[in-house]
Amino acid sequence: MFQKNILLKYIFATTFFLSTLGVSTHKIPALIDLHLNIVPLQIFYALFLLSFPLLLISLYFETSYKMSSQKIDVNCEEKIIIALKKLFIYTLPTEVILIMINTITNSFRTHILHWIFTTFINLWFLSLAFYILYLYIKKYKTTHKSQNIFPSNHQSLNLKPKLFIILILSSVVTAHFLFGLYHLNKSTYVDERLWTYGNSKRIEKYWTNIFEKDWYNTRPSDKPGISLAFISGPSLFFTTPSDFKKENSPSLSNLMQMLFIMRLPVLIFTSLSLLLFYYLLKNLFNAKIGLLSTIFIGLSPILLGASRFINPDSLSWSIIPLTILSYFNFHKTKKLKWLYLSGILLGWGLLTKYISNILFVFFLLFIFTQNLFRKEENSEELKQDIRESLSSLAIITLISLIIFYIFFPGVWVRPERLLIGTLWSQPFEPIWQYFTIFISLLTLDYFFNKSSLTTLIIAKIQKLKYIIIVAIPIVFTITILITLYNVYLAHTPINFESIISSPKTSIRDGSFILYFKAFITSFYVLIFGISPLALIGTLLASLVSWKMAYLKKATPIFLYIWYLFLFIIIFYIASIFSVTVPIVRYQIILYPLILIIASYGWYYLFLEFKIKNKFIFYILILFVGLFSLSTLYSIGPYYFSYNNPLLPQKHLINLKDMGDGIYETVQYLNNLPGAKNLNIWSDRNMVCRLFVGKCTNATSLKSFIKNGPIYDYYVASRGRKHRTTRLINQQLAVDSQYPLRLDKLYSTNPPTEFEVHLGNRTEQYIKIIKSNNIIILK
């Protein structure tokens, strides 16, 4: 009986495999041309559908018979697990053939593979992933106990009055939400039309393709921005963005109402994410740092501004930092709940924006440097720690890919999109070959050499631990000091504006000096995008960290602050390596991290001066909260145009703004008498899209004359000053008598009809100039 079952098993497995080969003769164009498709396709479908369940049943009974004959007592669950292992092995050739067919047919976009086979491909992958996850968890629970590997010994770490904490947290979440609501239906932001009412209508199209089962086209963008489609998607029950495209001539008020509905779920999500920030920070550090950090983050103008527009960046600023904090919590406690959360958040991070891929590099660096903060271990203990860390990172990666796979249907029909969203994504583009080689060597060393080579490398790194631990705070502190020197004291300071005005081209052909300036500029954008209190806290934290590293007095809290320093530095180096200067939006994920560092600085100040009176800390919390609220009140609704008031008026950090002030400008223009008959020029394309009359943003002489040459009004903004001036100067370099002088809109001060100042800064403006008040065309 047992031998017959074995024979049946091989027959079913072979039939299963041959059925897929038969399908290939009907699907691959080259085989069709050879006329190999003589057997009807339906026969192969039938063989495929019959042989698989029979193979599964035969494997289960073979396992049961084998266990009973050997008198091994196993339950049904274990029998299924053993049978599944064999099933994966026997169906692997079939899976490989189906993937090849699927890839080829998708490339030709003809003879698409039947949904039965694509379903099998995906279920096979997911089943294997869950199988590996099950084995890891089962083993982990038998070999580990939840523990705090860095027990705290600080005095008075927790705030005992829970009512006070609940009151503060609820106030911060409510304030974040209510300030975010302010003029939410009277704001326009760049790129929102791509996700809503533009021709691409990404969010609406994603859900349309889902309901139509058009899995192939469920890729909103290259970001890919799927999490944004999920969170903002429920708004589609109340509005239809595609009804508001320009051809339908929607009124500005109706358009704004639609955008309000689409933005609201994003704002709700970011508001609620503050609670998770507190929970993770409290468990990682303590209630004081957790509460202070949550206040800084929740009431940050930059982060609140980012929460108001429909863009993946509005989600990435919370998801990616939360992933880092969750991973830190797992490292600290070894609790599986943090491992699960890390994988889930990382998966949603990948679904949000490809910049999340930097976390793979960071987590690997974490593993290679985590032993810098521990006492030296013998080689076997070190090897065991390394293997456990690598295993946990592999499982976190696996969980993230499961999330990515499930919620990105485009991967179901094009599995290579899994690579496009990770290894082949834009951040990895310069290094993906080297990273692949490194991961391959790491994997080979893990399985065939028990991580001996990895252990040796980490042991060598550990010998340099003092230098490495001291170097990171030093680099961070010195860079901040250089930035402050350039802003306040330097006679020939770095021209920050010229660098951040063209973030993707300003350092394209640069030297080491230019890259260094870009590195300093990155810090400039970061530290002057936070409040004065947060900046002071950051300076305290960097100086304290330098001191603690130098004196070898590293505490458990310092460990994770050190890694936040490291992540920020790595992020900037990676950005410059990709020839991109991280402007505010590009480095939005760093603002929560720098605010956590700032909270640590203030917390340590209390420890250093041995201030044990908890009421003094309550006063600090209330002061920070009230100061932050007053800032939001004074600059609303232009939160994303915030500049630290300590930054001199002539400087700005956010030249590539998201469109603050455009709504008010367009509202003024549309309310002018005979607005539909007016002809205006604007340096902002969004103004032209929303203006009811004729509008152009042409900067060439030919186009300017063609669309004019007589204009009623000019609209000029500080954010486009550098670009417009640069284009005109290029023409003047060729012809000194070039007649079109749009640069005069910025270099002269003609009377204005209307002007909006963003972030309480006279230098950050959008202004309307009547054509009679300035001569642009000679």
Coordinates of all heavy atoms in Angstrom, one line a residue, residues 648-718:
P648 N 17.7 83.7 9.7 CA 17.6 85.1 9.2 C 16.6 85.2 8.1 O 16.4 84.2 7.3 CB 19.0 85.4 8.7 CG 19.9 84.6 9.6 CD 19.1 83.3 9.8
Q649 N 15.9 86.3 8.0 CA 14.8 86.5 7.1 C 15.2 86.2 5.6 O 14.4 85.8 4.8 CB 14.2 87.9 7.2 CG 13.3 88.1 8.4 CD 11.9 87.5 8.1 OE1 11.4 87.4 7.0 NE2 11.3 87.0 9.2
K650 N 16.4 86.5 5.3 CA 16.9 86.4 3.9 C 17.0 84.9 3.5 O 17.1 84.6 2.3 CB 18.2 87.1 3.7 CG 19.4 86.5 4.5 CD 20.7 87.2 4.2 CE 21.8 86.6 5.0 NZ 23.1 87.3 4.7
H651 N 17.0 84.0 4.4 CA 17.1 82.6 4.1 C 15.8 81.8 4.1 O 14.9 82.2 4.9 CB 18.1 81.9 5.2 CG 19.5 82.3 5.1 ND1 20.3 82.0 4.0 CD2 20.3 83.0 6.0 CE1 21.5 82.5 4.2 NE2 21.5 83.1 5.4
L652 N 15.7 80.8 3.3 CA 14.5 79.9 3.3 C 15.0 78.5 3.1 O 16.0 78.2 2.5 CB 13.6 80.3 2.1 CG 13.0 81.7 2.0 CD1 12.3 81.9 0.7 CD2 12.0 81.9 3.2
I653 N 14.2 77.6 3.7 CA 14.6 76.2 3.6 C 13.7 75.4 2.6 O 14.1 74.3 2.1 CB 14.5 75.4 5.0 CG1 13.0 75.4 5.4 CG2 15.4 76.1 6.0 CD1 12.8 74.4 6.6
N654 N 12.6 76.0 2.2 CA 11.6 75.2 1.4 C 11.3 76.0 0.1 O 10.1 76.4 -0.1 CB 10.4 74.9 2.2 CG 9.6 73.8 1.6 OD1 10.0 73.1 0.7 ND2 8.4 73.5 2.2
L655 N 12.3 76.1 -0.8 CA 12.0 76.8 -2.0 C 11.1 76.0 -2.9 O 10.3 76.5 -3.7 CB 13.3 77.1 -2.7 CG 14.2 78.2 -2.1 CD1 15.6 78.3 -2.8 CD2 13.5 79.5 -2.1
K656 N 11.3 74.7 -2.8 CA 10.4 73.7 -3.6 C 9.2 73.4 -2.8 O 8.9 72.3 -2.5 CB 11.2 72.5 -4.0 CG 12.5 72.7 -4.7 CD 12.3 73.2 -6.1 CE 11.9 72.0 -7.0 NZ 11.8 72.4 -8.4
D657 N 8.4 74.4 -2.6 CA 7.2 74.3 -1.7 C 6.1 73.5 -2.5 O 6.2 73.3 -3.7 CB 6.7 75.6 -1.3 CG 6.3 76.5 -2.4 OD1 5.1 76.3 -2.9 OD2 7.1 77.3 -2.8
M658 N 5.1 73.1 -1.8 CA 4.0 72.3 -2.4 C 2.8 73.1 -2.9 O 1.8 72.5 -3.3 CB 3.5 71.2 -1.3 CG 4.5 70.2 -1.0 SD 4.9 69.1 -2.4 CE 3.4 68.2 -2.6
G659 N 2.9 74.4 -2.8 CA 1.9 75.2 -3.4 C 1.1 76.1 -2.4 O 0.0 76.5 -2.7
D660 N 1.6 76.3 -1.2 CA 1.0 77.2 -0.2 C 0.7 78.5 -0.8 O 1.6 79.1 -1.5 CB 1.9 77.3 1.0 CG 1.7 76.1 2.0 OD1 0.7 75.4 1.9 OD2 2.7 75.9 2.8
G661 N -0.5 79.1 -0.6 CA -0.8 80.4 -1.1 C -1.4 80.5 -2.5 O -1.9 81.5 -2.9
I662 N -1.3 79.4 -3.2 CA -1.8 79.4 -4.6 C -3.4 79.6 -4.6 O -3.9 80.3 -5.4 CB -1.4 78.1 -5.4 CG1 0.1 78.2 -5.7 CG2 -2.2 78.0 -6.6 CD1 0.6 77.0 -6.4
Y663 N -4.0 78.9 -3.7 CA -5.5 79.0 -3.6 C -5.9 80.5 -3.5 O -6.8 81.0 -4.2 CB -6.1 78.2 -2.5 CG -7.5 78.4 -2.3 CD1 -8.5 77.8 -3.0 CD2 -8.0 79.3 -1.3 CE1 -9.9 78.0 -2.8 CE2 -9.3 79.6 -1.1 CZ -10.3 78.9 -1.9 OH -11.6 79.2 -1.7
E664 N -5.3 81.2 -2.5 CA -5.7 82.6 -2.2 C -5.4 83.5 -3.5 O -6.2 84.4 -3.8 CB -4.9 83.1 -1.0 CG -5.4 82.5 0.3 CD -4.7 81.1 0.6 OE1 -4.0 80.6 -0.3 OE2 -5.0 80.6 1.6
T665 N -4.3 83.2 -4.1 CA -3.9 83.9 -5.3 C -5.0 83.7 -6.5 O -5.4 84.7 -7.1 CB -2.5 83.5 -5.8 OG1 -1.6 83.7 -4.8 CG2 -2.1 84.3 -7.0
V666 N -5.3 82.5 -6.7 CA -6.3 82.2 -7.7 C -7.7 82.7 -7.4 O -8.4 83.2 -8.3 CB -6.3 80.6 -8.0 CG1 -7.5 80.3 -8.9 CG2 -5.0 80.1 -8.5
Q667 N -8.0 82.6 -6.1 CA -9.3 83.2 -5.7 C -9.4 84.6 -6.0 O -10.4 85.1 -6.4 CB -9.5 82.9 -4.2 CG -10.8 83.3 -3.6 CD -11.9 82.3 -3.9 OE1 -11.8 81.5 -4.8 NE2 -12.9 82.3 -3.0
Y668 N -8.3 85.4 -5.7 CA -8.3 86.8 -6.0 C -8.5 87.1 -7.5 O -9.3 87.9 -7.9 CB -7.0 87.4 -5.5 CG -6.9 88.9 -5.8 CD1 -7.4 89.9 -4.9 CD2 -6.2 89.3 -7.0 CE1 -7.3 91.2 -5.2 CE2 -6.1 90.7 -7.3 CZ -6.6 91.6 -6.4 OH -6.5 93.0 -6.7
L669 N -7.7 86.3 -8.3 CA -7.8 86.5 -9.8 C -9.1 86.2 -10.3 O -9.7 86.9 -11.2 CB -6.7 85.6 -10.4 CG -5.2 86.1 -10.2 CD1 -4.3 85.0 -10.7 CD2 -5.0 87.4 -11.0
N670 N -9.7 85.1 -9.9 CA -11.0 84.6 -10.4 C -12.1 85.6 -10.0 O -13.2 85.6 -10.7 CB -11.3 83.2 -9.9 CG -10.5 82.2 -10.6 OD1 -9.9 82.5 -11.6 ND2 -10.5 81.0 -10.1
N671 N -11.9 86.4 -9.0 CA -13.0 87.3 -8.5 C -12.8 88.7 -9.1 O -13.6 89.6 -8.8 CB -13.0 87.4 -7.0 CG -13.5 86.2 -6.3 OD1 -14.4 85.5 -6.9 ND2 -13.0 85.8 -5.2
L672 N -11.8 88.9 -10.0 CA -11.6 90.2 -10.6 C -12.7 90.4 -11.7 O -13.2 89.4 -12.3 CB -10.3 90.2 -11.3 CG -9.0 90.3 -10.4 CD1 -7.8 90.2 -11.3 CD2 -9.0 91.7 -9.7
P673 N -13.1 91.6 -11.9 CA -14.2 91.8 -12.9 C -13.7 91.3 -14.3 O -12.6 91.6 -14.7 CB -14.3 93.4 -12.9 CG -13.8 93.8 -11.6 CD -12.7 92.8 -11.2
G674 N -14.6 90.6 -15.0 CA -14.2 90.0 -16.3 C -13.0 89.1 -16.3 O -12.3 89.1 -17.2
A675 N -12.9 88.3 -15.2 CA -11.8 87.4 -15.1 C -11.6 86.4 -16.2 O -10.5 86.1 -16.7 CB -11.9 86.6 -13.8
K676 N -12.7 86.0 -16.8 CA -12.7 85.0 -17.9 C -12.0 85.6 -19.2 O -11.6 84.9 -20.0 CB -14.1 84.5 -18.2 CG -14.6 83.6 -17.1 CD -16.0 83.0 -17.5 CE -16.5 82.1 -16.4 NZ -17.8 81.5 -16.8
N677 N -12.0 86.9 -19.2 CA -11.4 87.6 -20.4 C -10.0 88.1 -20.2 O -9.4 88.7 -21.1 CB -12.3 88.8 -20.8 CG -13.7 88.3 -21.2 OD1 -13.9 87.3 -21.9 ND2 -14.7 89.1 -20.7
L678 N -9.5 87.9 -19.0 CA -8.1 88.3 -18.7 C -7.1 87.3 -19.2 O -7.3 86.1 -19.3 CB -8.0 88.5 -17.1 CG -8.8 89.6 -16.5 CD1 -8.6 89.5 -15.0 CD2 -8.5 90.9 -17.0
N679 N -5.9 87.9 -19.4 CA -4.8 87.1 -19.9 C -3.6 87.3 -18.9 O -3.2 88.5 -18.7 CB -4.3 87.4 -21.3 CG -3.3 86.5 -21.8 OD1 -3.0 85.4 -21.3 ND2 -2.6 86.9 -22.9
I680 N -3.1 86.3 -18.2 CA -2.1 86.4 -17.2 C -0.9 85.5 -17.5 O -1.0 84.5 -18.2 CB -2.6 86.2 -15.8 CG1 -2.9 84.7 -15.6 CG2 -3.8 87.0 -15.5 CD1 -3.2 84.3 -14.1
W681 N 0.2 85.9 -16.9 CA 1.4 85.1 -17.0 C 1.7 84.7 -15.5 O 1.7 85.5 -14.6 CB 2.6 85.8 -17.5 CG 3.9 84.9 -17.6 CD1 4.3 84.1 -18.6 CD2 4.8 84.8 -16.5 NE1 5.4 83.5 -18.2 CE2 5.8 83.8 -17.0 CE3 5.0 85.3 -15.2 CZ2 6.9 83.5 -16.2 CZ3 6.0 84.9 -14.4 CH2 7.0 84.0 -14.9
S682 N 2.0 83.4 -15.3 CA 2.4 82.9 -13.9 C 3.6 82.0 -14.0 O 3.7 81.2 -14.9 CB 1.2 82.2 -13.3 OG 1.5 81.6 -12.1
D683 N 4.4 82.1 -12.9 CA 5.5 81.1 -12.9 C 5.1 79.8 -12.2 O 5.9 78.9 -12.0 CB 6.7 81.8 -12.1 CG 6.4 82.2 -10.7 OD1 5.3 81.9 -10.2 OD2 7.3 82.7 -10.0
R684 N 3.8 79.8 -11.8 CA 3.3 78.5 -11.2 C 2.3 77.9 -12.1 O 1.2 78.5 -12.4 CB 2.7 78.8 -9.8 CG 3.6 79.5 -8.8 CD 4.9 78.6 -8.5 NE 4.5 77.4 -7.9 CZ 4.7 77.1 -6.6 NH1 5.1 78.1 -5.8 NH2 4.4 76.0 -6.1
N685 N 2.5 76.7 -12.5 CA 1.6 76.0 -13.4 C 0.2 75.8 -12.8 O -0.8 75.8 -13.4 CB 2.2 74.7 -13.8 CG 1.4 74.0 -14.9 OD1 1.0 74.6 -15.9 ND2 1.2 72.7 -14.8
M686 N 0.2 75.6 -11.4 CA -1.0 75.4 -10.7 C -2.0 76.6 -10.8 O -3.2 76.4 -10.9 CB -0.8 75.0 -9.3 CG -2.0 74.7 -8.5 SD -2.8 73.2 -9.0 CE -1.6 71.9 -8.6
V687 N -1.4 77.8 -10.9 CA -2.2 79.0 -11.0 C -3.0 78.9 -12.3 O -4.2 79.2 -12.5 CB -1.4 80.2 -10.9 CG1 -2.2 81.5 -11.3 CG2 -0.8 80.4 -9.5
C688 N -2.2 78.5 -13.4 CA -2.8 78.5 -14.7 C -3.9 77.4 -14.8 O -4.9 77.6 -15.5 CB -1.8 78.2 -15.8 SG -0.6 79.5 -16.1
R689 N -3.8 76.3 -14.1 CA -4.8 75.3 -14.1 C -6.1 75.7 -13.5 O -7.1 75.2 -13.8 CB -4.2 74.0 -13.4 CG -3.1 73.3 -14.2 CD -2.7 72.0 -13.5 NE -1.7 71.3 -14.3 CZ -2.0 70.5 -15.3 NH1 -3.2 70.3 -15.6 NH2 -1.0 69.9 -15.9
L690 N -6.0 76.5 -12.5 CA -7.2 76.9 -11.7 C -7.8 78.3 -12.1 O -8.9 78.6 -11.7 CB -6.8 76.9 -10.2 CG -6.3 75.6 -9.6 CD1 -6.0 75.8 -8.1 CD2 -7.4 74.5 -9.8
F691 N -7.1 79.0 -12.9 CA -7.6 80.3 -13.3 C -8.6 80.2 -14.4 O -8.5 79.4 -15.3 CB -6.4 81.2 -13.8 CG -6.8 82.6 -14.3 CD1 -7.5 83.4 -13.4 CD2 -6.5 83.0 -15.5 CE1 -7.9 84.7 -13.9 CE2 -6.8 84.3 -16.0 CZ -7.6 85.1 -15.1
V692 N -9.7 81.0 -14.3 CA -10.8 80.8 -15.2 C -10.5 81.5 -16.6 O -11.2 81.2 -17.6 CB -12.1 81.4 -14.6 CG1 -12.5 80.6 -13.4 CG2 -11.9 82.9 -14.3
G693 N -9.5 82.4 -16.6 CA -9.2 83.1 -17.9 C -8.1 82.4 -18.6 O -7.9 81.2 -18.5
K694 N -7.4 83.2 -19.4 CA -6.3 82.7 -20.2 C -5.0 82.8 -19.4 O -4.8 83.9 -18.8 CB -6.2 83.4 -21.5 CG -5.1 82.8 -22.4 CD -5.0 83.6 -23.8 CE -3.9 83.1 -24.7 NZ -3.8 83.8 -25.9
C695 N -4.1 81.8 -19.4 CA -2.9 81.9 -18.6 C -1.8 81.0 -19.2 O -2.1 80.0 -19.8 CB -3.2 81.3 -17.2 SG -1.8 81.2 -16.1
T696 N -0.6 81.5 -19.1 CA 0.6 80.8 -19.6 C 1.7 80.9 -18.6 O 1.8 81.8 -17.8 CB 1.0 81.3 -20.9 OG1 2.1 80.5 -21.4 CG2 1.5 82.7 -20.8
N697 N 2.6 79.9 -18.6 CA 3.8 80.0 -17.8 C 5.1 79.9 -18.7 O 6.1 79.5 -18.2 CB 3.9 78.9 -16.7 CG 3.8 77.5 -17.3 OD1 3.6 77.3 -18.5 ND2 4.1 76.5 -16.5
A698 N 4.9 80.3 -19.9 CA 6.0 80.2 -20.9 C 7.1 81.1 -20.5 O 6.9 82.3 -20.1 CB 5.5 80.6 -22.3
T699 N 8.4 80.6 -20.7 CA 9.5 81.5 -20.4 C 10.4 81.7 -21.6 O 11.3 82.5 -21.5 CB 10.4 80.8 -19.3 OG1 10.7 79.4 -19.8 CG2 9.7 80.7 -18.0
S700 N 10.1 81.1 -22.7 CA 10.8 81.4 -24.0 C 10.1 82.6 -24.7 O 8.9 82.8 -24.5 CB 10.8 80.2 -24.9 OG 9.5 79.9 -25.4
L701 N 10.9 83.4 -25.4 CA 10.4 84.6 -26.1 C 9.3 84.3 -27.1 O 8.3 84.9 -27.1 CB 11.6 85.3 -26.8 CG 11.2 86.5 -27.6 CD1 10.7 87.6 -26.6 CD2 12.5 87.1 -28.3
K702 N 9.5 83.2 -27.8 CA 8.5 82.8 -28.9 C 7.1 82.5 -28.2 O 6.1 83.0 -28.7 CB 9.0 81.7 -29.7 CG 8.1 81.3 -30.8 CD 8.7 80.1 -31.6 CE 7.8 79.7 -32.8 NZ 8.4 78.6 -33.5
S703 N 7.2 81.7 -27.2 CA 5.9 81.2 -26.5 C 5.3 82.4 -25.8 O 4.1 82.5 -25.7 CB 6.2 80.1 -25.6 OG 6.7 78.9 -26.3
F704 N 6.1 83.2 -25.2 CA 5.6 84.3 -24.4 C 4.8 85.3 -25.3 O 3.8 85.8 -25.0 CB 6.8 85.1 -23.8 CG 6.4 86.2 -22.8 CD1 6.1 85.9 -21.5 CD2 6.2 87.5 -23.3 CE1 5.7 86.9 -20.7 CE2 5.8 88.5 -22.4 CZ 5.5 88.2 -21.1
I705 N 5.4 85.6 -26.5 CA 4.7 86.5 -27.5 C 3.5 85.8 -28.1 O 2.4 86.4 -28.2 CB 5.7 86.8 -28.6 CG1 6.8 87.7 -28.1 CG2 4.9 87.6 -29.8 CD1 7.9 88.0 -29.1
K706 N 3.6 84.5 -28.3 CA 2.5 83.7 -28.9 C 1.2 83.8 -28.0 O 0.1 83.9 -28.4 CB 2.9 82.3 -29.2 CG 1.8 81.4 -29.8 CD 2.3 80.0 -30.0 CE 1.1 79.1 -30.5 NZ 1.6 77.7 -30.7
N707 N 1.5 83.6 -26.7 CA 0.4 83.6 -25.7 C 0.0 84.9 -25.3 O -1.0 85.1 -24.6 CB 0.8 82.7 -24.5 CG 0.8 81.2 -24.8 OD1 -0.2 80.6 -24.9 ND2 2.1 80.7 -25.0
G708 N 0.7 85.9 -25.7 CA 0.4 87.3 -25.3 C 0.1 88.1 -26.5 O -0.9 87.8 -27.2
P709 N 0.9 89.0 -26.9 CA 2.1 89.5 -26.1 C 1.7 90.4 -24.9 O 2.5 90.8 -24.1 CB 3.0 90.2 -27.1 CG 2.0 90.8 -28.1 CD 0.9 89.8 -28.2
I710 N 0.4 90.8 -24.9 CA -0.1 91.7 -23.9 C -0.8 90.9 -22.8 O -1.7 90.1 -23.0 CB -1.1 92.7 -24.5 CG1 -0.5 93.5 -25.6 CG2 -1.7 93.6 -23.4 CD1 -1.4 94.4 -26.3
Y711 N -0.3 91.1 -21.6 CA -0.8 90.4 -20.4 C -1.4 91.4 -19.4 O -0.9 92.6 -19.3 CB 0.3 89.6 -19.7 CG 0.8 88.5 -20.5 CD1 1.9 88.7 -21.4 CD2 0.2 87.2 -20.4 CE1 2.4 87.6 -22.2 CE2 0.7 86.2 -21.2 CZ 1.8 86.4 -22.1 OH 2.2 85.3 -22.8
D712 N -2.4 91.0 -18.7 CA -3.1 91.9 -17.8 C -2.3 91.9 -16.4 O -2.2 92.9 -15.7 CB -4.5 91.5 -17.6 CG -5.3 91.6 -18.9 OD1 -5.5 92.8 -19.3 OD2 -5.7 90.6 -19.4
Y713 N -1.9 90.7 -16.0 CA -1.3 90.5 -14.7 C -0.1 89.5 -14.8 O -0.1 88.6 -15.7 CB -2.3 90.0 -13.7 CG -3.4 91.0 -13.3 CD1 -4.6 90.9 -14.0 CD2 -3.2 92.0 -12.4 CE1 -5.6 91.8 -13.7 CE2 -4.2 92.9 -12.1 CZ -5.4 92.8 -12.7 OH -6.4 93.7 -12.4
Y714 N 0.8 89.7 -13.9 CA 1.9 88.7 -13.7 C 1.8 88.1 -12.3 O 1.6 88.9 -11.4 CB 3.3 89.3 -13.9 CG 3.5 89.9 -15.3 CD1 3.5 91.3 -15.5 CD2 3.7 89.1 -16.4 CE1 3.7 91.9 -16.8 CE2 3.9 89.6 -17.7 CZ 3.9 91.0 -17.9 OH 4.1 91.5 -19.1
V715 N 2.0 86.8 -12.2 CA 2.0 86.2 -10.9 C 3.4 85.6 -10.7 O 3.9 84.8 -11.5 CB 1.0 85.0 -10.8 CG1 1.1 84.4 -9.4 CG2 -0.4 85.6 -11.1
A716 N 4.1 86.1 -9.7 CA 5.5 85.7 -9.4 C 5.6 85.1 -7.9 O 4.9 85.7 -7.0 CB 6.5 86.8 -9.5
S717 N 6.3 84.1 -7.8 CA 6.5 83.5 -6.4 C 8.0 83.3 -6.1 O 8.8 83.1 -7.0 CB 5.8 82.1 -6.4 OG 6.4 81.2 -7.3
R718 N 8.3 83.3 -4.8 CA 9.7 83.2 -4.4 C 10.2 81.8 -4.8 O 11.4 81.7 -5.1 CB 9.7 83.4 -2.9 CG 11.1 83.3 -2.3 CD 12.0 84.5 -2.8 NE 13.2 84.5 -2.0 CZ 14.3 83.8 -2.3 NH1 14.2 82.9 -3.2 NH2 15.4 83.9 -1.5

